[in-house]
Amino acid sequence: MEKTQHSEKLLLRKLDLLLRTGKLLMESAADTSRIMRNMKRTAAYLGLPDEHLHIYINYNMLMVNLSDSEHSFSKFQRCEKHGINMTAISAVSKLSWRAIREDYSLERYEEELENIRSRKRNYTSWQVAVGAGFACGGFCIQFGCDWPAFLYASIAAILGFRLRAVLNELGSNHYMNIAVAAFVSTLLAWASAFISTLDLPAPLHTLFHSDTPWHPLMACALFIVPGVPLINFVSDMLDSYVQIGITRAVNTLLIVVAMAFGIALAIHVCGIDNFVKDLSMTPHHTYLEFAVAAAISAVGFSMIFNIPRRLLWVVAVGGIIAVCTRNFVNLGPSNHNIGLDWGPVIGSLVGSALISIIVTRAVHWFHTPHHCLSIPSVIPMIPGVLMYRALFAFIDMSGVVGEVTIAMNNAIQASLIILCIAVGVAIPNIFARRWIAPKRQKQLKRLIEERRQRGKFVDLTYID
């Protein structure tokens, strides 16, 4: 009897550790396929036989069940604090392999898992805000602004980002915080436009005058655009995790709606003449400027995603490759640029696919999961402006002919670009996995068999 109780208690502890592993991944914004792979690998370490194990993953709830014809043990785990933490995703992946290879005790595994969960983020709050701000400035350059406008967009985004962080800490509604941050950032960007109208002394005029004073309004709130959830949503749908994909999609839509509402309110308060439809987004910079802006945006968003500091330069290079490739394929003679002139949809597909192929090899050099390098690299291509332009057009309809066409054109183009970015990130990895997976699966099976021979696996017949 005492032995049975001990075996049952040990089993429940193992199920709890498995759920805590999955919770950490879900709350760090891992895609569902990765969560499932890591949980199954962790289950192998814990000695939970795959033939009796059932794992259910939902956006807000995880469940595991271990059962045979006579026994059934289930545990649930709620997931509440969703964020983005690429360092945690990478650390959990490494831990699951290391625990099997080095035959960790449960105490050591639990201690290391808790260390990952409680580890301080790699950047301070203000460092992240500055990174997010300059990332928005980089977007602004991609939309055709000059460098003084880059500065104005960055300052507005920095202050808006910090405001949202403070409101989140106070515990107010997440979506309302987004709307308020978008509203304030847009107001600040609008106010900065008047600096270019001032009669400044010659040296100051050179530094602070912008020939594109309204462009910061398009980019100042793009730190809100949920790029990682968007890519995860498409990835989950492609991997047949439809329910979680739909949940991510709805959450993403609510974020973009809140952002569009805040921007629309600021536009009406300021009396701006619908810049959302009229302001050109076609850039005419050199590719060197595109490269600098892409690197800044990729690094800035990487700081939001809590990428390890050692990988920032890698992501910067990835952003340069992805964006410059996209621009070369997208732009061309029709808009007085150098390139193939194939449009943004094909450009986004080619840029994301190229960086994903490169990262498939680079993960072995930098010892980090594929998505921890590929997603931050392609984030500067996310069509945030098209998304809120579409929503704003629907919100601001007044019966003018052509309004629905403009709204639908922006919505369809944004959706196609997002789909192509996600497919570009996922497809090369899927093809590469055909060669990579068998080797890793063979290694995992060998390690599992060794553990089974040492009696490390749970035998339900000992629990009555």
Side-chain angles (χ1 to χ4, degrees), residues 136-150 210-216 218-219 279-286 289-290 293 326-327 331 337:
C136 292
F139 269 118
C140 201
I141 294 292
Q142 298 293 339
F143 302 151
C145 83
D146 53 23
W147 288 98
F150 161 88
S210 172
D211 293 324
T212 55
W214 298 108
H215 276 69
M218 289 198 296
L279 196 61
S280 173
M281 290 173 53
T282 303
H284 294 90
H285 297 298
T286 65
E289 289 177 291
F290 287 147
R326 187 274 309 270
N327 286 353
L331 304 174
N337 280 287

Side-chain angles (χ1 to χ4, degrees), residues 20 22 32 53 73 101 106-107 111 167 182 208 315 337 342 372 381 398 453 464:
R20 286 165 59 186
T32 309
L53 183 66
F73 297 89
R101 290 194 188 101
L106 292 183
E107 290 75 16
E111 180 183 356
L167 292 174
F208 296 109
V315 172
N337 280 287
W342 290 356
C372 292
M381 298 194 296
S398 57
Q453 291 175 3
D464 296 322

